[in-house]
Amino acid sequence: MSQEEHFAVRPIAHLARLELSEAQLAEYSVQLDHILGYVAKLDALDVTGVEPLAHPNPVYDVTREDATRPGLTVDLALLNAPRAAQNQFSVPKVVE
Amino acid sequence: MAPLHASDISTLRLRLASGEISPQDIVQSLHQEIASRDAEIGGYLHFNLEAALEAASKADLSLPLGGIPIAIKDNINVAGQPTTCASKILAGHYTSPYDATVVTRLRAAGAIPFGKTNMDEFAMGSSTENSTLKVTRNPRDLGRVPGGSSGGSAAVVAADLAIAALGSDTGGSIRQPASLCGCVGLKPSYGRVSRYGLVAYASSLDQIGPLTKNVTDAALILQAISGGDDRDSTSLPDPAPDFSKELNHGVKGMKIGLPKEYFVDGMDPEVRASVERGVQLLADQGAEIIPISMPHTEYAVATYYIIATAEASANLARFDGVRFGHRCADPQNMIDLYSRSRAEGFGPEVQRRIILGTYVLSAGFYDAFYLKGQKVRNLIQQDFAKAFSQVDLIVGPTCPSPAFKFGEKSSDPLTMYLEDIFTIAANLAGVCGISLPCGWTASQTERLALPIGLQLLGPSLGEARLLRAARACEQAIAFPAQPR
């Protein structure tokens, strides 16, 4: 669990789609360094042969009947849209 | 007789049944109390009196929670009302188009959703100081935090500004504020209660549960909200037993484990003494106290901050400025729209956790962090499996110390994370837990007496026994009013 001397926030913030200021990048870098330093205590633990656990209960492949049932109306689905047009969510142009 | 707003559910149900009071009387009593005292406490983000009075006028008193108003944490959808998660990304930008399943079930049981309570932004925090909308104060000492993330729910129940409330618990967010405010907080087993309509933080850990004035009320609310839901594929189909039926049967013959790792060096001596007294009272009632070990306890917080942040980074991707929530001005393209909307809308703790979660899932780091975290999670679950092969329940403190001052832990995120050291493992393992008040610290100069919480943990779907032991403990402790 090696780590950089100072956590490089900028590329991760880009992946997470967060446009941060220089001050925020610097502040989070120090704090995340500190947190990862704490997380490194897991290095002391040998987990050879231990299965990863993603979910507390052994529940798999939950299905339900493939039948229509009431859902949100178009009006309700668009109720909170920052911008909507023609019964759709409106966003900046994606394809030139 | 206690005023309506300060009464518990059972008392109100009796008075409603006798026709002496109406559900509208209860709503009005709460509303008056909120109007006069919530400016000081700051527990509520919003409430809709009209909707509550309307529901009160139609309440079916024959139902188990008929006519009882219940406050709802503001990360749970109530149709027609705002859901903010105490975040600027949602405040003023979101009206719930539907009811969460727990709200549907509360209504079906006759209850009246009334008021949305403050919280740490997106349930990330242990003091409610991460709310971007309001400060919530601990009703027992206004200079101290109420805990979190369900700090608003705990504060309004403890301050008698609510009869009861719903919260959500991802790493202790029901039990820790209940402990710090001096009320009862129950985290059900993972899958016991549907999460449909709860704004997801960490989906393999989140669970909705009640905060109440006593254990009996917690059992009543759990009864109403439990059970499988095909809108949440992680909810378990197992039917809920009658949680009230054996509530008063006591702990005689129960085996209760005392993990040595839950009584650590450096814990507050008054917390230790008070919890140890609670354990002695359980023994006096006939429980057999058995020393046990949970060897991976010390790794729980580190494991949690890998798994919870990884899941949060995926869950909070939905806040992208497209379908709901804040959108930045004049976006130039999609990346710009996402990146500025999210930077403007999320507060610092949420941003930190999204970045940490993105990092632990990123190429080259996944195995070292996320996969390792999942393996340690398995070891933590095995600790519980081993413990519950020897004992029926586990007992210990809810928190290492009583309520702290504003700003005392907020400058260093890691210090705040360690607040959840005794609660977090239960979420990783998926077991159930409850915090109940077990005593007060001595009052000091410049510090009032503060409540101390005792935690009981039970195996997955073991709430009936958990509640029964909690009830026995509550009766033996007879938690007194705050010493002055």
Side-chain angles (χ1 to χ4, degrees), chain B residues 251-475:
Chain B
V251 289
K252 198 166 168 35
M254 268 195 210
K255 291 179 178 171
I256 301 183
L258 196 65
K260 63 175 192 228
E261 293 81 2
Y262 282 41
F263 293 85
V264 293
D265 288 342
M267 75 186 278
D268 186 292
E270 289 182 288
V271 171
R272 178 191 284 264
S274 187
V275 172
E276 283 174 349
R277 179 178 162 264
V279 173
Q280 184 56 49
L281 289 171
L282 282 166
D284 294 347
Q285 306 292 306
E288 186 185 350
I289 307 297
I290 299 172
I292 59 167
S293 175
M294 311 278 286
H296 297 96
T297 300
E298 67 165 302
Y299 301 105
V301 173
T303 304
Y304 174 87
Y305 278 94
I306 293 173
I307 288 170
T309 60
E311 295 183 13
S313 73
N315 274 325
L316 271 62
R318 64 170 59 85
F319 298 97
D320 58 4
V322 173
R323 290 154 300 154
F324 38 70
H326 169 73
R327 178 183 288 197
C328 66
D330 302 321
Q332 300 304 300
N333 53 50
M334 287 306 290
I335 301 276
D336 182 46
L337 185 156
Y338 299 147
S339 302
R340 281 198 292 126
S341 300
R342 290 161 61 78
E344 291 166 6
F346 290 135
E349 182 59 25
V350 176
Q351 295 187 348
R352 265 193 298 275
R353 293 198 195 188
I354 289 173
I355 289 166
L356 185 57
T358 306
Y359 175 75
V360 301
L361 291 174
S362 63
F365 298 99
Y366 179 93
D367 285 4
F369 289 101
Y370 187 62
L371 193 62
K372 175 104 188 208
Q374 286 187 314
K375 289 178 178 177
V376 181
R377 181 177 190 177
N378 195 344
L379 296 175
I380 290 167
Q381 194 181 52
Q382 287 175 29
D383 275 1
F384 279 94
K386 278 178 203 148
F388 288 130
S389 70
Q390 295 172 264
V391 296
D392 298 308
L393 299 170
I394 293 168
V395 66
T398 310
C399 306
S401 54
F404 45 95
K405 287 181 179 166
F406 288 94
E408 193 175 324
K409 299 189 179 187
S410 57
S411 56
D412 176 19
L414 186 56
T415 309
M416 189 71 85
Y417 296 175
L418 294 171
E419 181 66 19
D420 295 330
I421 191 161
F422 299 132
T423 49
I424 235 164
N427 300 77
L428 291 165
V431 303
C432 55
I434 191 167
S435 177
L436 64 151
C438 66
W440 296 92
T441 66
S443 55
Q444 305 164 359
T445 27
E446 297 183 20
R447 197 182 92 174
L448 298 171
L450 299 170
I452 295 166
L454 175 144
Q455 179 176 230
L456 286 161
L457 298 170
S460 178
L461 301 182
E463 285 90 349
R465 195 178 288 160
L466 181 81
L467 286 159
R468 185 172 139 189
R471 174 73 183 124
C473 203
E474 174 183 68
Q475 282 181 304

Side-chain angles (χ1 to χ4, degrees), chain B residues 45 84-91 118-122 128-135 345-350:
Chain B
L45 289 173
T84 68
C85 295
S87 178
K88 291 194 169 120
I89 212 161
L90 284 173
N118 197 17
M119 54 187 281
D120 284 296
E121 184 179 9
F122 285 102
T128 312
E129 289 169 290
N130 291 334
S131 170
T132 65
L133 305 180
K134 201 172 207 176
V135 173
F346 290 135
E349 182 59 25
V350 176

